[in-house]
Amino acid sequence: MSGQNGLWNKLGGAKEAGKGIVLGDIDSGITPENPAFSGEKLISNPSDNKPYLDNGMIKYKKADGQTFTGICDKGEPDQQFSTDDCTTKIISARWYLKDTLGGFLRELFEGLGEKFSPRDIGGHGSHTASIATGNYNTETTVDNENAGKMSGVAPGAKIAVYKACWAILCPESGTLSAIDQATKDGVDAINYSIGSEGVTSTVTPTDMAFLNAANAGIFIAAAAGNSGPDASSLDHAAPWYTTVAASTIPEAKKPNTPVPQIADFSSRGPAKTETSDIIKPDIAAPGVNILAAVNNTKTGETNFGYLSGTSMATPHVAGLAMLYQYKHPNATPAEVKSAIMTSAYNTLDIDGEEVTDPFVQGSGNIDPLKAIDPGLVYLNTYNDWKGYVNYISPNSYPKVQPLNPRDLNLASIGVGDVLAGKTKIVRKVTAKRAGIYNLEFKLPGFGMTVNKEKLVFTQAGETKEFQITFAP
């Protein structure tokens, strides 16, 4: 990311990278005093490049020309949060707790030290937010010891906080409200480092809330989960968001580690849902021993910590997506996802051999420099996604033709019943620049033919298709 040939430099410098882009972090809140989140005091003078106050709301003109609108909800009295905790970096802070159990949840969370405000008590939300958007070259300390400097993936981006997780639980009523509000507010990307084990459906209330968000142009990064290495242990399997596995950070001094490895805890596919034609996870990113901001009291010393999990991998992808949006302000979520997937590279297993199993690593590990400038992208639309929903849940959207999951124009191809006979798959690719692209496919153990050897594009925006035939 850094250095003369790094991605930040190619985007105008680290402090600019992500400018005009807003992250919606749905998690356990934030620790606003941490220097990873420092910003200027909000004022009421409208500005084209800074967030400002407008009748109690916080507004920010984004890179795509739209306006984000947030609010700083200080919570209940004496809950360690104030309206001054929102700045030109943290441009919105909300919290959600709908206690449907007669006060039981509130009493439970209060007993665990929770604050009924956007204040982060456990540190998880601060960690994920700073990985994605933490300020450039932030000095860090771990247990009062200097730990060097850290930067978020998109240091120039802004943060909108949606606290929906409390101590030991993330009630669905809160996460759904947070997704809907983030969509209304106008965030560009959502980080969702929340999940469970062994998803069985792709049309859950959470999936459908994310479908609405994706339709609004929001990129969603969702954690695969930490229930690996068992097969079919992952969460989040719908095609309109990007599901993230966790990899290690390469260590050049150790054998077999210049290339990342998939963490043992990272949840695996295939997902046992309504269809076996959607490959998950989609991508892998660093998620082992990640240094980032954690919690502190309002008057306590700021702190950082090392955490591991797909929760830490996911904001790396959200941050990379925001850098893509910074360079391509009108990119759709499908375009961003395609760019990240098609530019990835294979990880290694413990013996130093290349991993090619998509149910372990998805398309591979993220490659930020390549992802930001793809040659071709696989695009799909809200209507495609609705057709997918109609295929597995008939008549969900009247007048929308059902679409077989394998025919979704994704950057991966899944055919669950390939042994049943010949299967033909069509994919369309759209050029980001002119060029000649050769088609190469490898699938050991199966017969496969492609109807074209190359695709020729004379200008950006052209779309061409190719057909693959599989046979057992």
Side-chain angles (χ1 to χ4, degrees), residues 201-281:
S201 175
T202 55
V203 289
T204 66
T206 299
D207 293 322
M208 300 311 289
F210 277 139
L211 176 57
N212 292 332
N215 180 44
I218 299 170
F219 175 88
I220 301 132
N226 302 329
S227 299
D230 293 341
S232 302
S233 56
L234 63 72
D235 196 4
H236 303 128
W240 41 84
Y241 48 68
T242 302
T243 306
V244 186
S247 61
T248 61
I249 298 174
E251 297 181 51
K253 296 180 181 180
K254 294 184 179 182
N256 299 335
T257 57
V259 175
Q261 298 175 332
I262 297 298
D264 197 50
F265 61 75
S266 186
S267 293
R268 269 63 166 175
K272 291 186 177 180
T273 61
E274 302 91 347
T275 174
S276 56
D277 291 349
I278 303 296
I279 293 177
K280 290 286 182 171

Side-chain angles (χ1 to χ4, degrees), residues 408-425:
L408 276 170
N409 199 48
L410 301 173
S412 58
I413 297 174
V415 182
D417 58 351
V418 69
L419 296 177
K422 285 189 176 181
T423 303
K424 294 182 179 180
I425 300 292

Side-chain angles (χ1 to χ4, degrees), residues 214 217-220 239-240 242 320-321 323-343 370-381 385 409-411 428-433 460-461:
I218 299 170
F219 175 88
I220 301 132
W240 41 84
T242 302
L320 178 54
L323 294 181
Y324 190 94
Q325 292 169 323
Y326 172 68
K327 183 176 181 181
H328 310 275
N330 297 312
T332 65
E335 178 181 330
V336 181
K337 178 179 178 178
S338 172
I340 292 173
M341 290 179 66
T342 57
S343 59
K370 290 183 178 179
I372 211 72
D373 189 25
L376 302 173
V377 288
Y378 294 80
L379 302 179
N380 38 95
T381 66
W385 299 328
N409 199 48
L410 301 173
K428 296 179 180 180
V429 285
T430 300
K432 295 294 291 181
R433 59 177 178 269

Side-chain angles (χ1 to χ4, degrees), residues 57-77:
M57 307 300 288
I58 303 170
K59 294 188 176 180
Y60 181 51
K61 189 172 182 180
K62 304 188 300 168
D64 63 3
Q66 303 297 312
T67 299
F68 170 88
T69 302
I71 192 170
C72 201
D73 183 349
K74 65 180 182 180
E76 297 179 2

Side-chain angles (χ1 to χ4, degrees), residues 380-432:
N380 38 95
T381 66
Y382 182 51
N383 207 54
D384 296 331
W385 299 328
K386 289 192 295 184
Y388 165 86
V389 174
N390 271 358
Y391 186 89
I392 61 176
S393 180
N395 302 315
S396 296
Y397 294 98
K399 300 181 180 179
V400 175
Q401 189 71 20
L403 180 63
N404 192 313
R406 68 186 58 172
D407 294 327
L408 276 170
N409 199 48
L410 301 173
S412 58
I413 297 174
V415 182
D417 58 351
V418 69
L419 296 177
K422 285 189 176 181
T423 303
K424 294 182 179 180
I425 300 292
V426 174
R427 286 293 187 264
K428 296 179 180 180
V429 285
T430 300
K432 295 294 291 181

Side-chain angles (χ1 to χ4, degrees), residues 93-161:
R94 303 175 186 265
W95 60 285
Y96 303 88
L97 179 59
K98 184 178 181 181
D99 194 340
T100 58
L101 300 176
F104 171 77
L105 288 181
R106 182 183 179 91
E107 183 177 344
L108 172 65
F109 296 154
E110 189 170 21
L112 292 170
E114 270 292 359
K115 301 299 179 183
F116 301 108
S117 74
R119 166 70 53 180
D120 180 14
I121 296 300
H124 193 273
S126 299
H127 208 267
T128 57
S130 60
I131 291 170
T133 67
N135 289 328
Y136 175 64
N137 265 2
T138 300
E139 295 282 356
T140 70
T141 56
V142 177
D143 296 330
N144 297 318
E145 296 289 335
N146 189 299
K149 296 179 179 180
M150 72 147 287
S151 306
V153 179
K158 309 300 184 184
I159 307 164
V161 178

